[in-house]
């Protein structure tokens, strides 16, 4: 009897071992299938990335001449930009002077004669000063001329410097000088930070 019970226990142990072996086998097969699936997935991903890399490299190679040409154009523009700015600035100055002279020509009262036009601009931080000298039969056309000059958008601080009576060819006339600052001709000063100023 004890021998039969021992055989039963050995059979039960063998079944347990076979069950464990079967379980380990299925786990092994499952992990092998999962590993192969993962390997296949990553292989396909790497193939796709390699293909995409090849396409991108082909696009880079195709666009390389365009990039080189753009860089050359940018270098040429960098060389020509100062000249272009100088020309644009010169055009602005020419247009401004054209407007100022046209304004003076059309806004000078008829009994008034202009005898001199001077420009002074020694300090770059100050605007260019325009000085207009002329002769008028009396003071009224001079004041009208000043009011008309004040209407110009290119002139500011228009004022009378002097006016005095003078004999000219046996007639009395008033000699005058009007000054004005030309707008936008003063260079902007860089802002200086005050010492000890809290930030």
């Amino acid at each position: 009897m004890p021998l039969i019970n021992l055989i039963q226990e050995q059979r039960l142990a063998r079944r347990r071992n076979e069950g464990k072996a079967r379980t380990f086998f299925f786990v092994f097969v499952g992990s092998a299938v999962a590993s192969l699936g993962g390997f296949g997935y990553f292989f396909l991903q790497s193939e796709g990335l390699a293909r995409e890399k090849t396409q991108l490299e082909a696009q880079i190679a195709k666009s390389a001449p365009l990039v080189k040409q753009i860089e050359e154009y940018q270098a040429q523009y960098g060389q020509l930009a100062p000249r272009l700015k100088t020309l644009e600035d010169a055009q602005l100055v020419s247009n401004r002077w054209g407007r100022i002279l046209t304004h003076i020509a059309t806004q000078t009262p008829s009994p008034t004669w202009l005898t001199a036009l001077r420009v002074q601009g020694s300090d770059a931080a100050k605007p260019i000063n325009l000085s207009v000298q002329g002769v008028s039969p009396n003071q009224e056309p001079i004041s009208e001329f000043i009011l008309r000059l004040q209407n110009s958008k290119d002139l500011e601080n228009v004022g009378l410097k002097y006016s005095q009576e003078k004999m000219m060819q046996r007639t009395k006339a008033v000699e005058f000088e009007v000054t004005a600052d030309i707008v936008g001709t003063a260079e902007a000063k860089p802002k200086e930070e005050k010492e000890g100023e809290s930030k």
Side-chain angles (χ1 to χ4, degrees):
M1 283 299 232
L3 190 57
I4 293 176
N5 287 342
L6 192 57
I7 292 173
Q8 182 69 24
E9 287 178 12
Q10 287 175 354
R11 285 182 182 169
L12 290 173
R14 194 180 312 140
R15 280 188 195 156
R16 269 185 260 135
N17 289 338
E18 288 174 359
K20 285 181 184 179
R22 218 176 292 121
T23 304
F24 287 134
F25 176 74
F26 286 132
V27 168
F28 172 74
V29 169
S31 63
V33 168
S35 297
L36 285 175
F39 177 76
Y41 173 77
F42 288 120
F43 178 75
L44 291 175
Q45 286 291 323
S46 65
E47 285 294 317
L49 290 174
R51 197 175 321 115
E52 188 176 348
K53 179 186 173 189
T54 307
Q55 290 174 352
L56 291 175
E57 286 175 348
Q59 287 179 358
I60 289 171
K62 184 179 178 182
S63 62
L66 292 174
V67 171
K68 185 178 179 185
Q69 190 175 20
I70 289 170
E71 289 173 354
E72 289 174 2
Y73 287 158
Q74 286 176 341
Q76 289 176 359
Y77 178 76
Q79 291 175 350
L80 296 176
R83 292 182 187 176
L84 179 63
K85 185 177 183 328
T86 302
L87 288 174
E88 288 173 348
D89 292 345
Q91 186 178 15
L92 289 173
V93 170
S94 297
N95 290 342
R96 181 186 300 137
W97 277 111
R99 287 191 307 268
I100 289 171
L101 294 176
T102 302
H103 188 80
I104 289 173
T106 57
Q107 298 301 321
T108 303
S110 58
T112 304
W113 296 93
L114 301 181
T115 58
L117 185 73
R118 283 188 314 217
V119 177
Q120 295 175 349
S122 58
D123 188 4
K126 294 180 181 177
I128 294 175
N129 185 267
L130 173 69
S131 174
V132 181
Q133 293 177 339
V135 179
S136 179
N138 54 40
Q139 296 286 348
E140 290 176 12
I142 298 171
S143 58
E144 184 179 345
F145 181 61
I146 291 171
L147 289 173
R148 288 180 179 184
L149 285 182
Q150 287 175 346
N151 290 333
S152 172
K153 65 179 180 178
D154 295 307
L155 299 176
E156 62 185 359
N157 299 329
V158 180
L160 179 66
K161 187 172 183 181
Y162 74 87
S163 68
Q164 61 185 14
E165 283 192 10
K166 187 177 184 181
M167 287 297 292
M168 298 184 78
Q169 297 177 354
R170 292 180 271 161
T171 57
K172 283 187 179 179
V174 178
E175 189 178 40
F176 68 91
E177 182 176 353
V178 175
T179 61
D181 292 334
I182 299 175
V183 175
T185 55
E187 291 182 7
K189 294 181 182 179
K191 294 182 180 179
E192 296 178 7
E193 293 183 16
K194 295 180 182 178
E195 292 181 14
E197 184 177 316
S198 61
K199 294 182 179 179

